[in-house]
Amino acid sequence: MVKYALACKTCQSPFEAWFSNSDAFDEQNDRGLITCPECGGSDIQKQIMAPAVSGTKKRESQSVPAVNPDPKLAAMMKKVRDHIASTHEYVGKDFATRARAMHDGEADAKPVWGETTLAEAKSLIEDGVPALPLPEPFAPPKPVDQKKLN
Ligand SMILES: [Zn+2]
């Protein structure tokens, strides 16, 4: 759903309306189906382009790893995954807390990997905490996932 701020060209009154997508506004407006709640006029224009995404919470990451046909790259990704899995401790959702504590000297520094939100990752980097985003193909399976597999 997209919310548009609209304005009536006849009486200048502003109003808002929801549309299923941006094309729906154009289509309905072309057919004169959108009318001004003040004067009933159908000469409507978009006030500003300010679509607001509605609905339930957006997922942080919806990226699906692409199947990569390059065997060299696939081997490299596996190497990275194996390396992380064998040398890094999985700390799950505690990643930001742990990385920050190590950076502040409140915890022993050791390689960890885990999950964090985009906002947390940004604030870590801004605070100079060494953290790197790990693209999906390079992330080893989480230990919990591994247990499920076995
Ligand atoms: Zn009007």
Side-chain angles (χ1 to χ4, degrees):
M1 294 291 284
V2 193
K3 184 160 83 173
Y4 281 118
L6 305 174
C8 171
K9 284 189 196 172
T10 312
C11 71
Q12 307 299 322
S13 71
F15 63 100
E16 289 177 339
W18 288 92
F19 299 92
S20 52
N21 56 52
S22 58
D23 289 339
F25 166 80
D26 292 327
E27 195 199 309
Q28 290 178 35
N29 200 28
D30 283 348
R31 292 161 65 189
L33 297 175
I34 307 165
T35 53
C36 167
E38 282 302 315
C39 70
S42 58
D43 209 359
I44 307 300
Q45 63 183 354
K46 273 184 213 165
Q47 209 175 38
I48 40 161
M49 285 291 289
V53 178
S54 80
T56 49
K57 54 184 172 180
K58 267 166 78 182
R59 282 166 153 251
E60 286 284 337
S61 160
Q62 285 177 324
S63 64
V64 176
V67 177
N68 203 303
D70 187 339
K72 266 191 216 160
L73 191 60
M76 199 262 276
M77 287 170 176
K78 187 183 182 314
K79 226 172 153 182
V80 174
R81 282 199 303 271
D82 290 348
H83 173 76
I84 292 169
S86 60
T87 60
H88 287 52
E89 186 194 344
Y90 178 71
V91 294
K93 308 261 183 229
D94 290 337
F95 179 79
T97 317
R98 292 283 293 266
R100 202 174 279 280
M102 285 189 277
H103 179 68
D104 295 342
E106 289 161 11
D108 290 339
K110 60 179 166 184
V112 296
W113 76 283
E115 293 145 44
T116 190
T117 63
L118 200 58
E120 277 175 331
K122 225 178 133 187
S123 107
L124 284 176
I125 288 161
E126 277 169 7
D127 293 346
V129 179
L132 277 176
L134 192 62
E136 190 85 36
F138 294 102
K142 291 171 208 164
V144 276
D145 294 348
Q146 276 178 331
K147 263 183 217 155
K148 251 185 253 168
L149 287 174
N150 292 338

